[in-house]
Each structure stands twice: as structure tokens, then as C-alpha cells.
Amino acid sequence: LDKLKNDGTDVHKRIYTTNGGARLFANLYFPNREKQISKSDKYWPGVAIINSLDGTQRYSAEAGIYRLVCTNGMRAPMSVMSYDLIHSKNSDFEQAYEMIMDILDKTDNFTEFQNLADTKINSDTHAMSIVDNLLEDKSFKFPKKYRESVMTNYAKENEQNLWALYNSFNSVLEHELLRGQNKIGRSRHLDGNLFKSFVDIDAKILE
């Protein structure tokens, strides 16, 4: 972190441990790389780092974002933004530093979130139709029982677009579907599936 700060990179961090200190989770966010996605919405890019001393978790990292209109941290689960790191007494810090800078450089050209924000939804009825179509898709793997929770979250959004709907699903994922669970492995899988479903959404569903 000192090296990042010396390079002029502002860092906000959340670090916590579990299993008596055997597992470490670090969420790092970078305010000076702030992205404005719409008039009322912006986010900070970030990095989620996972490490363990007991061998139960791989030393790995993923790109993420911190959305400023809410308190949710979200990962951007793209294969080019995920890293499996190798333990080495002499290179752990240098390896992490290089990985963080690589992620920040990639997020500067990350257009998928903006594309979601630019895709407008005409009405609440239209939004509900999109939700129902997604939930009927067996590859989506999101429980139908959370339909109303998704729509309740969407009603609180400031704008009507796919970005807002994606965030509504993401909020349910983090605060209801995965609540009280060991979320790391399952969250990575479900985050990736959710993100891919929105990026690859069929144009017919949007009609």
C-alpha cells in the first residue's frame, strides 16, 4: 500500500481475517480512478485479494468496483480480470503491486458497465418482463423466489436502464441469496454468471 501511495494512488481499504487469522480478505478501492457512469451514478475501481495460511483458499485476486450510490462492493468477474497468484517470500508484495496496476489499467478501458447504463428500460412493466425472461433461462441459475426482491431494489434506483437492473440483482445476490454463507467460492461463480447474462442479454428480451 505504501508503494501505491508513493506513486500517487489514493487507496481506501477494507481488510479482515477469518479462521483465527488463517484467511485474509482485502478489498482495495481507488478514488482517484473514479468513473462517472451516468448523471447520478459513479464508481471506484477496486481489487479483491484472497489469501490463506492454512491452504484452504488460493492466493488470488479479482477486479471489482465500489458503487458510490450504495454500500455494495461488486466484482467485475471477467477472465482477463482474475488472477491466481503464487506464494513467494520475496515476491508477494511486488506481484500484488503489479497485479493491482494491471487491473487499474484495464478498468480504464472497461466499457461493459457503460453499455449497460446506456441501454434504457422503458417502464417498470418492461423491467419486470426482462426479469421474468432472465429467470426463465435455465443457464441464468438465479432462484425465481427472489423476483420480488429484485423489483423492490429496482424501484429504489434513480434511473431505468440495464445497469440499474444488474445492480438490483447484485444486491439480492450479496444481501439475501448469499447471506450467512461462506461466500467466496460461490460468490465468484454466481457473480460471473450474473454479469455474463447481462452482457450477453438477447436483444429480443429488451423489446
Side-chain angles (χ1 to χ4, degrees), residues 16-42:
Y16 61 97
T17 61
T18 62
N19 289 32
R23 296 182 188 177
L24 179 141
F25 306 95
N27 292 319
L28 310 178
Y29 299 103
F30 305 93
N32 60 339
R33 297 288 189 110
E34 181 177 290
K35 304 292 182 182
Q36 188 82 35
I37 200 164
S38 69
K39 290 182 180 180
S40 60
D41 208 338
K42 52 190 175 182

Side-chain angles (χ1 to χ4, degrees), residues 103-121:
I103 284 177
L104 290 178
D105 288 341
K106 284 184 170 71
T107 57
D108 284 339
N109 300 307
F110 189 62
T111 60
E112 280 79 357
F113 289 149
Q114 188 62 58
N115 291 340
L116 294 180
D118 290 342
T119 305
K120 304 303 180 184
I121 294 176

